[in-house]
C-alpha cells in the first residue's frame, strides 16, 4: 500500500519566495501536505530568474526547493488577488509567508486577517531578523545574515578574509526551523483545537547552528578566530595535501593517534614528547601539521586512504560535486531523485533528495510547478469565480 505521509490531509498556503520559505514548505509537501504555491502573475517566484534559465522559467534554486507543490498565480496587491488568497486560506491549515515585516499587513493578509477566515490557522512568518527588535525591518538575505550573525567571521583561513559558507546555511536554518515549528504547532492544534502564530528568524536559526561557538565563548570569554579546515580543540583534525589531491584526517583521541603512529611512515612522531597526548598535540600543531603533511605528500591519496581505513583512522577525500553525485552511498539511499522541468517536456533534472524520507509520502515526487500551472484547478476547488491568470 502507498504511504500518504504524516501530513496527508493538511493543506498549506505558501506565499513565500526565494529560499527559506520554499524550503520550509517543500519539507511539508514531502511529508504529504498539499502545498499551494502563490506566485505573482507573469513573474512568479524571483528564483525563476536567478542564474541562467536552465529549464525555461526556472533557475536551479526554484528547481531545488519547490518539489511537491502546485502553483497558483495571484496578484496579492489587488483586491481580487487578496480575496482569492483569503478564500484559499479558509481551506488551509497552514499559512506561510516570508515578506519583509509589515508587507503582509499592507496586503491585508496578516495573521489577524487570515485568522478571521480560518480561526485555527497555523500562521508562520519567516524573516531575516524576526518580527520584533531593532533590526526587524532591515533587508536580509543569506549573505547579510551570515555576516551579521558571526558565521563569516569564523569561516576562512586564519590569516585570510572572512568567507561565507558555500551553502545558504542561514536560509536553510530558517526554513528548517520554520518546518519544525509548524509541525509542533500542528501537533498542539490536534490537542487544543487552536492555531498559533509563529515568528521565525533566520538570524535566530543561524545562532542556534553555532551553539558550540556560543558556548565556548561563554566559557572562555575569548572570541573565536578563523581556523580554516582545522579544529580549535583537536589536532591533527584538518585537510592535508597528498601527492595528487587533498584529503581530511581526524585524530580525535589518543587511541586514534596510536593507530596513526603505528604506521611505519609516521613512527618517528611516536617518541616526540610534544605529541604525547591530545592537549600537547593541540598546543604544538604548528610543528605537527607540517610534519604529517611532509609524509602525506610522498604518496597519492588512494594509498593513504586505504592505509588509514585499514588502521581505523577517519580519513576521506575532499570530493567535488560530480564525485559526490556519483557516490554509491547516495544512490543506494535514493538521495538523488529526478524531476521534470518544464512540465511535460521530458527534460529530467537530478535534485537533492529527502533525509526525512522514512516518513515522507510514498510514490513519485511531484516536479516543481510551472508558473501558474495549477491556477484553474486550485480556484475550481474553492469554487472561485475569479478568472485564472497565467
Amino acid at each position: 500500500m502507498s504511504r500518504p505521509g504524516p501530513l496527508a490531509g493538511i493543506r498549506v498556503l505558501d506565499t513565500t519566495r526565494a529560499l527559506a520559505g520554499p524550503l520550509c514548505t517543500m519539507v511539508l509537501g514531502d511529508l504529504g501536505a498539499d502545498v499551494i504555491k502563490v506566485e505573482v502573475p507573469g513573474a512568479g517566484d524571483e528564483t525563476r530568474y536567478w542564474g541562467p534559465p536552465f529549464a525555461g522559467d526556472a533557475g536551479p534554486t526554484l528547481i531545488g526547493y519547490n518539489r511537491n507543490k502546485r502553483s497558483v498565480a495571484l496578484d496579492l496587491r489587488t483586491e481580487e488577488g487578496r480575496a482569492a488568497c483569503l478564500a484559499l486560506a479558509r481551506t488551509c491549515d497552514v499559512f506561510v509567508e516570508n515578506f519583509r515585516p509589515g508587507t503582509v499587513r499592507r496586503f491585508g493578509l496578516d495573521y489577524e486577517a487570515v485568522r478571521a477566515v480560518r480561526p485555527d490557522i497555523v500562521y508562520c512568518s519567516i524573516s531575516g531578523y524576526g518580527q520584533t527588535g531593532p533590526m526587524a525591518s532591515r533587508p536580509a538575505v543569506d549573505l547579510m545574515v551570515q555576516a551579521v550573525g558571526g558565521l563569516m567571521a569564523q569561516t576562512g583561513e586564519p590569516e585570510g578574509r572572512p568567507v561565507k559558507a558555500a551553502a545558504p546555511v542561514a536560509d536553510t536554518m530558517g526554513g528548517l526551523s520554520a518546518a519544525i515549528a509548524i509541525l509542533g504547532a500542528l501537533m498542539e492544534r490536534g490537542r487544543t483545537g487552536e492555531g498559533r502564530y509563529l515568528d521565525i528568524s533566520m538570524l535566530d536559526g543561524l545562532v542556534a547552528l553555532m551553539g558550540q561557538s556560543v558556548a565556548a565563548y561563554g566559557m572562555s570569554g575569548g572570541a573565536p578566530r578563523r581556523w580554516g579546515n582545522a579544529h580549535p580543540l583537536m589536532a591533527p583534525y584538518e585537510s592535508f595535501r597528498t601527492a595528487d589531491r587533498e584529503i581530511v584526517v581526524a585524530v580525535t583521541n589518543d587511541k586514534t593517534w596510536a593507530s596513526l603512529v603505528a604506521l611505519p611512515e609516521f613512527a618517528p612522531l611516536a617518541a616526540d614528547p610534544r605529541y604525547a597526548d591530545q592537549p600537547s598535540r593541540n598546543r604544538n600543531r604548528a610543528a605537527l601539521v607540517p610534519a604529517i603533511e611532509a609524509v602525506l605528500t610522498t604518496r597519492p591519496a588512494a594509498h593513504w586512504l586505504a592505509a588509514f581505513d585499514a588502521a581505523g583512522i577517519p580519513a576521506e577525500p575532499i570530493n567535488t560535486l560530480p564525485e559526490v553525485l556519483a557516490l554509491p552511498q547516495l544512490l543506494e539511499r535514493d538521495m538523488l531523485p529526478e524531476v521534470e522541468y518544464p512540465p511535460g517536456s521530458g527534460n529530467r533534472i537530478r535534485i537533492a533528495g529527502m533525509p526525512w524520507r522514512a516518513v515522507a509520502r510514498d510514490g513519485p515526487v511531484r516536479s516543481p510547478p510551472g508558473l501558474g500551472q495549477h491556477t484553474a484547478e486550485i480556484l475550481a476547488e474553492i469554487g472561485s469565480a475569479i478568472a485564472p491568470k497565467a
Side-chain angles (χ1 to χ4, degrees):
M1 294 179 64
S2 63
R3 183 179 62 240
L7 294 186
I10 296 293
R11 176 176 271 194
V12 177
L13 192 55
D14 173 12
T15 67
T16 70
R17 70 268 187 263
L19 206 161
L23 170 59
C24 164
T25 55
M26 182 184 74
V27 173
L28 303 180
D30 289 349
L31 297 179
D34 176 18
V35 179
I36 299 172
K37 181 178 178 68
V38 177
E39 300 192 68
V40 179
D45 187 323
E46 63 209 59
T47 61
R48 290 187 179 275
Y49 311 101
W50 281 4
F54 295 113
D57 64 350
T61 306
L62 189 286
I63 296 293
Y65 295 97
N66 284 279
R67 62 174 177 253
N68 291 326
K69 301 178 185 180
R70 298 187 289 164
S71 173
V72 57
L74 298 175
D75 189 344
L76 301 183
R77 297 165 298 183
T78 68
E79 186 61 35
E80 183 182 65
R82 173 181 175 275
C85 190
L86 286 174
L88 278 170
R90 189 177 290 112
T91 72
C92 290
D93 303 278
V94 179
F95 188 107
V96 188
E97 63 91 7
N98 68 342
F99 295 98
R100 191 184 295 193
T103 301
V104 287
R105 183 174 296 280
R106 294 196 299 273
F107 287 165
L109 295 169
D110 56 293
Y111 175 54
E112 295 303 326
V114 174
R115 188 169 66 164
V117 301
R118 179 70 189 237
D120 64 348
I121 194 76
V122 172
Y123 189 112
C124 181
S125 293
I126 306 171
S127 62
Y129 305 116
Q131 304 295 309
T132 61
M135 296 185 70
S137 63
R138 293 186 64 79
V141 294
D142 183 84
L143 178 63
M144 306 299 110
V145 179
Q146 285 199 42
V148 77
L151 184 65
M152 284 181 65
Q154 299 179 57
T155 307
E157 292 299 322
E159 304 305 322
R161 298 171 61 193
V163 177
K164 74 176 182 66
V169 291
D171 272 318
T172 299
M173 283 302 295
L176 292 178
S177 298
I180 292 168
I182 289 168
L183 293 174
L186 288 172
M187 289 288 291
E188 179 184 59
R189 192 182 74 168
R191 294 194 308 271
T192 67
E194 297 181 0
R196 177 178 287 276
Y197 178 74
L198 303 170
D199 173 7
I200 300 297
S201 156
M202 290 163 56
L203 177 61
D204 292 351
L206 190 68
V207 170
L209 180 67
M210 299 190 301
Q212 185 181 46
S213 297
V214 172
Y217 176 71
M219 295 169 69
S220 70
R225 65 179 181 85
R226 291 188 291 282
W227 287 88
N229 292 329
H231 195 288
L233 306 176
M234 291 178 282
Y237 184 109
E238 58 185 276
S239 61
F240 293 91
R241 289 172 294 178
T242 69
D244 60 346
R245 65 182 297 178
E246 288 199 48
I247 64 174
V248 291
V249 181
V251 177
T252 58
N253 52 50
D254 290 339
K255 179 181 177 181
T256 306
W257 174 254
S259 297
L260 178 68
V261 296
L263 297 174
E265 298 92 339
F266 297 97
L269 300 176
D272 194 320
R274 293 177 296 175
Y275 314 137
D277 53 31
Q278 184 62 268
S280 299
R281 291 190 293 276
N282 203 32
R283 287 194 301 271
N284 294 291
R285 68 172 67 215
L288 175 61
V289 169
I292 291 175
E293 191 163 80
V295 176
L296 292 175
T297 52
T298 63
R299 293 181 181 243
H303 169 83
W304 294 117
L305 292 172
F308 290 160
D309 194 45
I313 300 166
E316 297 290 354
I318 299 178
N319 285 331
T320 64
L321 185 59
E323 289 173 320
V324 172
L325 299 183
L327 285 174
Q329 180 72 14
L330 293 180
L331 298 174
E332 182 175 321
R333 292 175 63 82
D334 296 323
M335 265 302 293
L336 299 169
E338 289 186 344
V339 295
E340 179 187 63
Y341 206 91
S345 67
N347 182 47
R348 308 297 295 179
I349 303 170
R350 189 163 45 173
I351 62 171
M354 308 175 201
W356 38 84
R357 63 192 170 281
V359 291
R361 64 180 179 189
D362 202 7
V365 173
R366 183 191 285 270
S367 296
L371 172 56
Q373 180 182 348
H374 306 95
T375 300
E377 171 187 313
I378 291 169
L379 294 183
E381 290 173 3
I382 61 171
S384 175
I386 297 174
K389 292 182 174 60

